[in-house]
Structures are given as C-alpha cells and as structure tokens.
Amino acid sequence: MMTPQVLEEINKIFIAYIEQKQLRKTPERLAILEEIYSRTDHFDADELWISMDNKNYRVSKATVYNTLELLVECNLVVKHQFGNGKNLAQYEKSYGYKQHDHLICMKCHQVIEFCDPRLQTIQSKIGDILNFNILHHSLIFYGDCTKENCEKNKKANV
Amino acid sequence: MMTPQVLEEINKIFIAYIEQKQLRKTPERLAILEEIYSRTDHFDADELWISMDNKNYRVSKATVYNTLELLVECNLVVKHQFGNGKNLAQYEKSYGYKQHDHLICMKCHQVIEFCDPRLQTIQSKIGDILNFNILHHSLIFYGDCTKENCEKNKKANV
DNA sequence: CTCGGTGCAAAGCTTTTGCATCCGC
DNA sequence: GCGGATGCAAAAGCTTTGCACCGAG
C-alpha cells in the first residue's frame, strides 16, 4: 500500500492544496502526512504524536491537530467519532482506499471495515427526497464479534 | 407523543430495569427520565441539566451522566456522537420511535431524521458475512441543506 | 440500619488558544 | 523582512471521580 508512488501522489495532492490555500509548505506538515500514510488502520491524534516522537521527530501536538484538520479538508484523511467509550476522535488515511464503513466490536473494540454498494443508493435517494446535497457519510455497526479471542483482544486494546 | 400513557410505559420499563439490576429507584432518576421524554429532538447532558435547573429541579451533573448511562443501557435513550464540530455527546429518547437515522447540515448544524428500510437488509447481510452479532448502528449523512434560511439557522445554533 | 446514590468540586483527558520565536516565501 | 506556522504551556470544555452525607429498601 505504502509504495513510493503512493507517497508521491499524496504529497502532490497535499502540496497542491497547500498552495491553493496559500499556506506554507512546512516540513512538519509533510512529515505528519508521511507518518500517517506509513501507518495502517486507525489512530488518534495522541497515538500519531507518540509514534512520531518515538522516531525522534518532535512536533507539537498543536501542529498535529492543525495538520490533521488540513488533511481532512483535502480528503487525504477521514475523521471518525466512533463511540468507543471515550470521546476520542479517530483518524484514518483515505487516499487510494475505496469507500468503506466500519463494524465495531463492543467487547474488544476491534474495528473491521466493510463495503456495501447499496449504501450509495440509499445516500442518493435520501439526498433527493430531502433536498440535501449529501457530501459524505458515516455508517457504523455495533455488535459482538463472535471470535474466540475477543476477550483477549479486549485486554490488549482498552 | 408525550401522552400520560407513554410516560407510564417508560416509567415501567425503567423501573423494571432498575429492579432487575438491584439499583435504587431514586426521585432524581425518575425525574431525569421524565424530563427527557418531555423534550423533543436531540440534546446534550448540559442542556438537559439546564432545563431541569430552569424548572427549579436541581440535580447534579454527575447524576445526569449516571442516569443517562442507565437509560442508554435499557434502550430508553440513544447516545450519538455527531461530529458537529465539538466532541459532544448528544442524546435522544428512543422509546416508541421507529428506528431512524440522521442527516446533518454542515452549515447550519440542523439535524433531520429519516428512515430507509434497506439499511436493515445491509445490516443483517454484513452481520452474516462477517460473523458479527450486530446489535445497533449509527448512520449519518453529512451535507448542505439547500434551505434559504440555512445560514440564518447557523447563527442561531452555533 | 446499610450501603448505594447524590451533590459538589476537583481531577482527567482531549482539543484549542495565546504568545514568543522561527522560517517559508 | 513579513506574516504565517510552530512549540510550549496554559486554558477550555466535556466527562469522570472522590468523598461526605443522605435516603431508599
């Protein structure tokens, strides 16, 4: 997934966005983008900050939040509000992924992705009926995964 | 909606839940439930607390949060994490309502409810395929309402 | 009478803000 | 060099927690 080509692509997109809004192309912003795309799965602002810190790349949390917001604006990152107990915003890289939604195990907090094209049908139908210009959506299914290691994961994750 | 019959019904459900869990039937808990069901639409913990305070019914916020959690557990209230800017938990009474989802205007923060039965199909299909016991879901469409008074609402709500 | 619940205020946690400094342009 | 961006720490805002007191069972 994280091929050099992808890195080049997302950098191009981000830089184009930065230039369009007449912002500055700072090393911190690019480093945060790269770090995000080197990760897999979901993360929160603090986890991202810690993993950069672990690599001895010091950025302030304010900059992390600031950059995440920019990346959400230009659709390179998606922000989620999973109701995982805490009110913690989770993020996810989005370039190159096909649109997908999430299924969350309420016991072990595992997050699984899925995609059902019929959701698009619902989305456009509802938009038409209610006269809304729907730009994006969030669909989350909550339940119990029936995996035997579910409780084990719980200890590791929470 | 808030007929005496409904009030009696929800009280019965809540009390049954309280007894089943061997908790105490305090006046605060019942008052909070009644206040919630006298409201329409969505609210957050603070708004609920303020409206009770305005009626000179003093409850501590800790009790409000505690009771909301109980009510969510026994399905009399649903908790939402709309990404309305802030990470603020919103609540909604749920007894007697048919299941519905939400459409949020990103400009004026208006919340509209809708229902599409096809979502149930998707839900059970995904549950089967991924071997999850799906208990509930959250679907939110984000967009722009095309209402002329949209910006006006924005000023009033934010 | 017992012990769970309440109230109050303080603490916790995520996110935002203010301000001096820094550096992209 | 100018003005936006960063870093740091303090502040803000929602939610949880600790503890003394109260009251439901």
Side-chain angles (χ1 to χ4, degrees), chain A residues 42 78 80 82 92 97-104 111-120 123 136-141, chain B residues 119 122 126 130 137-142:
Chain A
H42 310 85
V78 184
H80 296 291
F82 299 148
E92 177 181 31
Y97 282 88
K98 70 177 181 188
Q99 101 75 33
H100 63 266
D101 294 287
H102 299 90
L103 209 162
I104 298 178
V111 179
I112 292 183
E113 300 175 357
F114 69 88
C115 180
D116 192 312
R118 284 175 292 188
L119 192 58
Q120 287 304 326
Q123 177 165 323
H136 62 103
H137 72 259
S138 159
L139 170 60
I140 304 167
F141 286 139
Chain B
L119 190 58
I122 296 179
I126 297 294
L130 297 176
H137 72 259
S138 158
L139 170 60
I140 304 168
F141 286 140
Y142 297 93

Side-chain angles (χ1 to χ4, degrees), chain A residues 68-113:
Chain A
L68 279 171
E69 195 177 327
L70 288 179
L71 291 169
V72 169
E73 285 170 23
C74 63
N75 297 311
L76 286 171
V77 167
V78 184
K79 180 177 183 178
H80 296 291
Q81 297 282 168
F82 299 148
N84 274 355
K86 304 290 172 198
N87 284 8
L88 208 164
Q90 306 259 116
Y91 299 85
E92 177 181 31
K93 61 189 170 187
S94 59
Y95 174 77
Y97 282 88
K98 70 177 181 188
Q99 101 75 33
H100 63 266
D101 294 287
H102 299 90
L103 209 162
I104 298 178
C105 175
M106 297 193 296
K107 282 197 214 135
C108 68
H109 296 178
Q110 173 184 191
V111 179
I112 292 183
E113 300 175 357

Side-chain angles (χ1 to χ4, degrees), chain A residues 28-75:
Chain A
E28 288 84 358
R29 285 175 172 166
L30 296 175
I32 290 170
L33 174 61
E34 183 164 347
E35 174 62 27
I36 290 171
Y37 271 77
S38 77
R39 299 182 61 101
T40 49
D41 298 338
H42 310 85
F43 58 91
D44 60 47
D46 200 52
E47 286 169 356
L48 179 60
W49 181 81
I50 289 173
S51 60
M52 295 189 75
D53 195 76
N54 285 342
K55 293 177 182 169
N56 290 305
Y57 197 110
R58 317 283 163 189
V59 212
S60 89
K61 282 201 185 151
T63 303
V64 169
Y65 280 103
N66 168 11
T67 304
L68 279 171
E69 195 177 327
L70 288 179
L71 291 169
V72 169
E73 285 170 23
C74 63
N75 297 311

Side-chain angles (χ1 to χ4, degrees), chain B residues 24-25 27 62 65 88-89:
Chain B
R24 288 181 187 168
K25 195 175 7 174
Y65 280 103
L88 209 166

Side-chain angles (χ1 to χ4, degrees), chain B residues 88-110:
Chain B
L88 209 166
Q90 306 259 114
Y91 299 85
E92 176 181 33
K93 59 189 172 188
S94 58
Y95 175 76
Y97 282 89
K98 71 176 179 186
Q99 100 76 31
H100 63 265
D101 293 287
H102 299 91
L103 210 162
I104 298 179
C105 176
M106 297 192 297
K107 282 197 214 134
C108 68
H109 295 179
Q110 172 185 193

Side-chain angles (χ1 to χ4, degrees), chain B residues 73-128:
Chain B
E73 285 171 22
C74 64
N75 298 309
L76 286 171
V77 166
V78 184
K79 181 177 182 177
H80 296 292
Q81 299 279 170
F82 300 149
N84 274 357
K86 304 291 173 194
N87 283 6
L88 209 166
Q90 306 259 114
Y91 299 85
E92 176 181 33
K93 59 189 172 188
S94 58
Y95 175 76
Y97 282 89
K98 71 176 179 186
Q99 100 76 31
H100 63 265
D101 293 287
H102 299 91
L103 210 162
I104 298 179
C105 176
M106 297 192 297
K107 282 197 214 134
C108 68
H109 295 179
Q110 172 185 193
V111 179
I112 292 184
E113 299 175 357
F114 69 88
C115 181
D116 193 311
R118 283 175 293 187
L119 190 58
Q120 287 304 325
T121 317
I122 296 179
Q123 178 165 321
S124 39
K125 179 192 156 198
I126 297 294
D128 287 349

